[in-house]
Amino acid sequence: MNNTAYSGTGKIERNHLKLRKLIILFLLTVLGSFLLSSEVFAYQIKRVIRSATTLDSATESLTLNISGLLGGVDMVPERTWIIVTKQTNSDDRRISDVLAVVDDGQNISFNRRTSGAALVVNWMVVEFVAGVTVTNGMTIVPDGTAVKTITIPPVPNLDKAFVYLTTRTNVNNAGADEAFVFGGRLTSPSQLRLERGQASSTNANEDVGYQIISFEATDQDVSIQHGTALINGSQGAGEASDSGTVLVATIPNSITMDKAFLNFSIVPNDGVAGYERVYAVDGLITAANQITFTRGNNSSSVQIWWSVIEIENDIYGIFTD
C-alpha cells in the first residue's frame, strides 16, 4: 500500500513537473513570438505603390488622389516615403524639376515652377508599418547661398537614418545646372546640411524638399553606412580608384548585396557649366565592399554623398523594379 501510494505520488509529482515544464515552454514560446513579432512589426514594409503620372504642358502643379490604390486604408504620412524619377523633352529646369510631397493619407502632389512641356513623373510610395519615421519638410535656399544647415527633429542615430531630396527651380539657366542640383546629408542627429556647387546665379532661389527616413535606434537588423567621394581623376580617402569617369568607393563594413540598396546625392563643382555629361553620375553597389560611380566626362569635379542601407534579417525583402 505504501509502495503504491509512493508510486502514485511519484507519478503525480512527475506529471506536475512535466506540466510546469510545458507551461514554462509555452510562456517562452509566446514571449519569443511576441518579441519576434514586435521586431518584425518594427520595420516591416506595409505596402509599395508604383505608378506614373504626366503633368501636361499646361500643368504646373498636380495633386493626385490615390485612394483607389490604398484598399480603403489611408497612408500614414510620417511613415511614408515618396521616390520619384522624371522625364521631359525640355532642358528648362523650371519645367523638369519637380517637388514631390505626401500631402495627407490619400493625396500626393507634384509641383514644378512652370509649365510649357509635358513632364512624366515615375513615382513610388513606400509605407512602413511602424518603427520607421519619415520627417518631411521644405526649405528655400536663397540666391547667393551655397550651403544651408537646418535644425530637424533629432534622429535616433546617424547609422539608422538617411536623406532623400526633391527640388523646384526658380530660374532657367541651362549653363548653370550646378546652381540647382543639391546634395543633402546629416551632419549630426539634429542637423541637415544642404549644399550646391554654385550660388551666384541670379534669382536662384531654390525650393528643396527633404525626407529623412530614420529607423529605431534599437533596431539591430538595420544598419546604414555613409560616405563621401569626389570624382575628379585623383584617388582620395575612402576611394579604391578614380579614373575621372569611373570612381570606386569603399564601403567600410562589407554588406550582403541582396539585402542592401544605395541612396546618394551630388554637389557638382561650379565648373561643370551645366553639362550633364559632366555632372550626371550613376551609382551602383558592385561588390560587398564597393560602390561604382560613373559619368561621361571628367572636365570638372563632382562631390558625392552616399548612404548604403542594409536590412540584415533573413525574413525581410527588398522591393525593386
Side-chain angles (χ1 to χ4, degrees):
M1 187 71 175
N2 289 336
N3 288 337
T4 302
Y6 179 82
S7 176
T9 302
K11 288 181 180 178
I12 292 172
E13 289 177 348
R14 286 195 296 273
N15 287 337
H16 284 175
L17 181 60
K18 289 180 181 178
L19 182 59
R20 285 196 297 271
K21 288 182 178 178
L22 287 173
I23 292 173
I24 292 171
L25 180 60
F26 172 75
L27 291 174
L28 289 174
T29 302
V30 171
L31 179 60
S33 299
F34 172 77
L35 291 175
L36 179 59
S37 297
S38 298
E39 184 177 339
V40 170
F41 187 76
Y43 58 90
Q44 184 180 8
I45 291 176
K46 181 177 181 178
R47 54 188 164 189
V48 178
I49 302 170
R50 301 181 183 90
S51 191
T53 299
T54 299
L55 279 67
D56 63 32
S57 59
T59 302
E60 296 175 357
S61 183
L62 175 68
T63 298
L64 184 65
N65 185 289
I66 61 171
S67 58
L69 303 174
L70 299 177
V73 180
D74 287 0
M75 300 178 292
V76 179
E78 62 268 23
R79 297 176 188 162
T80 303
W81 173 28
I82 185 168
I83 307 163
V84 298
T85 60
K86 52 204 170 43
Q87 58 196 72
T88 183
N89 62 4
S90 175
D91 63 359
D92 185 340
R93 298 194 73 99
R94 297 174 302 172
I95 294 173
S96 62
D97 286 357
V98 63
L99 195 69
V101 180
V102 177
D103 285 334
D104 54 39
Q106 296 186 356
N107 295 281
I108 57 178
S109 66
F110 306 107
N111 312 276
R112 55 182 177 170
R113 182 61 61 189
T114 190
S115 55
L119 176 70
V120 178
V121 181
N122 304 291
W123 56 268
M124 180 167 66
V125 168
V126 181
E127 184 181 2
F128 298 91
V129 174
V132 177
T133 299
V134 181
T135 300
N136 293 279
M138 191 191 82
T139 188
I140 298 174
V141 181
D143 183 24
T145 300
V147 177
K148 184 172 184 177
T149 300
I150 301 169
T151 299
I152 59 170
V155 301
N157 211 321
L158 287 179
D159 63 2
K160 302 293 183 186
F162 64 97
V163 177
Y164 183 83
L165 303 178
T166 58
T167 58
R168 180 170 56 185
T169 298
N170 192 47
V171 178
N172 176 27
N173 187 344
D177 284 346
E178 57 274 18
F180 316 118
V181 178
F182 279 80
R185 60 175 172 146
L186 296 172
T187 54
S188 79
S190 60
Q191 298 287 311
L192 169 64
R193 178 185 175 96
L194 303 173
E195 184 172 342
R196 56 182 169 181
Q198 183 189 122
S200 59
S201 181
T202 303
N203 297 320
N205 303 302
E206 192 80 359
D207 298 338
V208 181
Y210 56 88
Q211 299 175 79
I212 301 168
I213 299 90
S214 61
F215 295 82
E216 290 183 345
T218 56
D219 197 335
Q220 298 181 0
D221 290 313
V222 174
S223 62
I224 302 177
Q225 300 182 64
H226 306 281
T228 63
L230 182 67
I231 184 167
N232 62 352
S234 177
Q235 182 180 344
E239 301 172 4
S241 63
D242 182 354
S243 70
T245 56
V246 179
L247 182 149
V248 178
T250 301
I251 303 173
N253 301 310
S254 292
I255 61 167
T256 302
M257 291 178 63
D258 60 1
K259 298 178 183 178
F261 64 93
L262 172 67
N263 179 72
F264 70 98
S265 58
I266 60 171
V267 183
N269 184 278
D270 61 5
V272 306
Y275 287 104
E276 283 83 357
R277 65 178 181 269
V278 180
Y279 76 82
V281 176
D282 190 20
L284 185 66
I285 298 173
T286 49
N289 64 346
Q290 70 179 33
I291 311 163
T292 300
F293 295 102
T294 59
R295 62 173 177 170
N297 183 276
N298 183 32
S299 62
S300 190
S301 63
V302 177
Q303 184 81 33
I304 303 167
W305 296 344
W306 59 261
S307 301
V308 171
I309 300 92
E310 183 178 16
I311 299 178
E312 299 168 349
N313 196 304
D314 289 337
I315 63 174
Y316 302 106
I318 306 294
F319 293 83
T320 61
D321 285 322

